[in-house]
Amino acid sequence: GTHAKYHFGTTSLNAENKDPSTSSSSSSSLYQDIPKKKPWTFGILTSGFPPQQILVPVVKFVTFQVWKLMMNELVTHDEQGRFVRESFQAGNDPSPLELPNSSDSGESYSRYKIYLGNPCPWCHRVKAAMAVLNLEGEIPVTMLIDDAEKASKGGWILPTPSTDDRKANIAEELITGDLAGVYNYCYRDILEEGEKYKGRCTAPLLVDTTTGTIVTNESNEIMILLNDYARRLPDHEESVDLRPIGREEELDDATKHWFDLLWNGSYKCGFATSQVAYDEAASDVLKGLNEMNEVLASRPYLLGEDVSEVDLKGFSWVTRHDYAYTVIFKSPGGRIAQYPHISAWVKRLVSDYPKLLDSIDMEDACGSYYRQLFMLNFGRVVPYIPNVKDWVAGL
């Protein structure tokens, strides 16, 4: 009879008579030699002891219970395993921010400081607002570093103080250490001696450095305060208005709508600890993506002809969708490039407001999810992530 032959490149292997001792060393082989040095193992899956029928269910049960315990420690869930986003709001109904004062030397200075972290989408929306409103030089920003191993609590540590920080003559606790130290200092008049702030130390955070108190740590409030601040600056006529007077209810309704479907929906997918919880969240994300694509088919921005705060909140979500949420959070829907009107909206945003490209380091932001959320990525391997300009160019 005839012999079946398989061809790989220029090499033909006789399927019946091939020599196993030589095939692995061939340059066209599909297989590799066993490395001389490899990680040590017990060999339990090949030894047959303990029996696989016992081993596999036990290991799956133990790892699942450990994972679920860690997930419940990380975030809050209901009885069905649904992620519940709690409010950790500090500050209460803040007053409008004061415009900068002039010192004796004639230099103007701000009494406020904003703490932001590049990986955080809630921080990103604030940074995006500052970019579009041209406020980068108006209010000092401290860019936090996500390092849970060095932070005394939470995951944020402060960078080395800048020269401007030292010149500002503000409390040392507001420029050194970690974000937990900032919270402790801002609550110093409320806490007992030696007591530390018990809530979560979250960013973004807006602090009044003159009084050493928190204005607010709620991203929506900070954006409102910044827009009002920009509106009252002398050259406001040239500035964008992200929250036009008379449209507040419409803006808030839109924020709630997209938050439920997409912005929080992706997190509900990632932090779900049951299939039912995940399926519900995934359905919302799919609905949100299709609806957003449809909305943007008939208008340039989410609420009409002009950019608003809702677009910037959406921008902070969409820049994390492809390389963080769809992978580590298992958020469905595929790539943003599959949605032509969302893609066009992203390109329009960065074309009309080029500073948005500098509002995020996408490689660091998306990579942080894989580095820090180790309970979702036990191997801590970070996949390929493009920079934001390359990502936009590929839409």
Side-chain angles (χ1 to χ4, degrees):
T2 58
H3 295 300
K5 291 186 177 181
Y6 302 95
H7 300 275
F8 304 101
T10 60
T11 304
S12 297
L13 298 179
N14 188 300
E16 293 184 3
N17 300 320
K18 66 180 180 180
D19 183 354
S21 66
T22 60
S23 62
S24 65
S25 60
S26 171
S27 61
S28 61
S29 174
L30 300 179
Y31 309 101
Q32 295 174 284
D33 293 325
I34 296 176
K36 293 180 179 180
K37 293 184 179 182
K38 64 175 184 175
W40 183 83
T41 68
F42 287 103
I44 53 180
L45 289 178
T46 55
S47 68
F49 181 82
Q52 182 171 306
Q53 295 89 337
I54 297 176
L55 175 65
V56 173
V58 169
V59 172
K60 289 173 72 174
F61 174 80
V62 172
T63 54
F64 175 73
Q65 295 304 320
V66 171
W67 169 80
K68 193 171 183 179
L69 174 63
M70 294 170 64
M71 291 288 283
N72 288 333
E73 288 290 334
L74 176 67
V75 296
T76 303
H77 296 86
D78 67 12
E79 292 181 351
Q80 285 73 44
R82 301 182 187 91
F83 165 55
V84 177
R85 185 176 292 279
E86 293 183 81
S87 171
F88 300 103
Q89 188 167 353
N92 184 27
D93 192 22
S95 302
L97 302 182
E98 291 186 9
L99 295 180
N101 298 313
S102 297
S103 64
D104 294 338
S105 62
E107 296 181 358
S108 62
Y109 64 95
S110 172
R111 63 185 294 165
Y112 305 104
K113 177 179 279 291
I114 299 179
Y115 299 84
L116 303 175
N118 176 67
C120 172
W122 321 110
C123 291
H124 184 194
R125 53 170 61 177
V126 172
K127 191 174 183 184
M130 295 188 75
V132 171
L133 294 170
N134 295 314
L135 292 179
E136 296 103 323
E138 292 287 335
I139 300 176
V141 172
T142 292
M143 291 304 299
L144 303 165
I145 303 167
D146 60 323
D147 192 335
E149 295 181 13
K150 292 184 179 180
S152 62
K153 181 180 180 180
W156 300 113
I157 63 173
L158 275 61
T160 302
S162 66
T163 303
D164 289 339
D165 282 333
R166 293 297 186 189
K167 287 181 178 179
N169 193 30
I170 60 179
E172 188 76 8
E173 291 86 348
L174 298 179
I175 57 175
T176 60
D178 57 20
L179 195 62
V182 176
Y183 273 82
N184 289 333
Y185 178 77
C186 290
Y187 279 91
R188 66 195 180 283
D189 295 332
I190 298 174
L191 300 172
E192 298 290 336
E193 186 175 353
E195 185 183 5
K196 294 184 178 181
Y197 177 71
K198 292 183 173 60
R200 292 207 178 190
C201 304
T202 62
L205 177 67
L206 175 59
V207 168
D208 184 331
T209 60
T210 301
T211 61
T213 57
I214 291 173
V215 178
T216 180
N217 64 351
E218 212 288 318
S219 62
N220 293 295
E221 280 193 350
I222 295 175
M223 292 180 76
I224 292 172
L225 290 170
L226 291 176
N227 191 71
D228 173 74
Y229 182 93
R231 187 186 287 148
R232 290 183 285 114
L233 288 174
D235 56 352
H236 163 65
E237 291 75 13
E238 301 177 7
S239 179
V240 176
D241 192 347
L242 297 174
R243 191 177 173 86
I245 295 173
R247 298 189 68 186
E248 293 87 353
E249 184 176 353
E250 180 186 5
L251 289 159
D252 292 342
D253 288 345
T255 289
K256 171 67 174 168
H257 180 74
W258 298 119
F259 174 85
D260 288 343
L261 292 178
L262 294 176
W263 307 336
N264 195 46
S266 293
Y267 278 80
K268 292 173 79 172
C269 287
F271 292 142
T273 57
S274 72
Q275 191 64 51
V276 169
Y278 172 80
D279 289 344
E280 291 176 356
S283 176
D284 284 342
V285 172
L286 288 170
K287 177 183 176 183
L289 280 165
N290 289 316
E291 184 178 331
M292 180 175 282
N293 192 57
E294 184 177 343
V295 165
L296 290 168
S298 59
R299 59 181 71 166
Y301 291 108
L302 286 171
L303 265 68
E305 295 299 317
D306 300 314
V307 70
S308 73
E309 62 181 35
V310 179
D311 294 286
L312 302 187
K313 294 169 185 177
F315 184 72
S316 71
W317 172 83
V318 78
T319 48
R320 290 160 174 79
H321 172 80
D322 283 1
Y323 291 92
Y325 299 156
T326 63
V327 185
I328 196 168
F329 280 175
K330 301 181 288 292
S331 189
R335 301 293 190 187
I336 292 300
Q338 297 171 225
Y339 302 89
H341 304 300
I342 298 179
S343 297
W345 165 72
V346 172
K347 290 184 175 181
R348 186 178 302 112
L349 272 170
V350 300
S351 175
D352 291 350
Y353 305 98
K355 286 184 178 180
L356 287 176
L357 290 171
D358 298 321
S359 68
I360 181 177
D361 178 341
M362 203 165 98
E363 295 164 282
D364 172 69
C366 293
S368 176
Y369 287 81
Y370 300 92
R371 294 189 299 269
Q372 303 299 341
L373 297 177
F374 58 88
M375 67 292 297
L376 296 178
N377 184 35
F378 281 104
R380 291 185 287 184
V381 174
V382 180
Y384 165 77
I385 301 166
N387 63 56
V388 67
K389 292 182 180 179
D390 288 344
W391 173 71
V392 171
L395 294 177

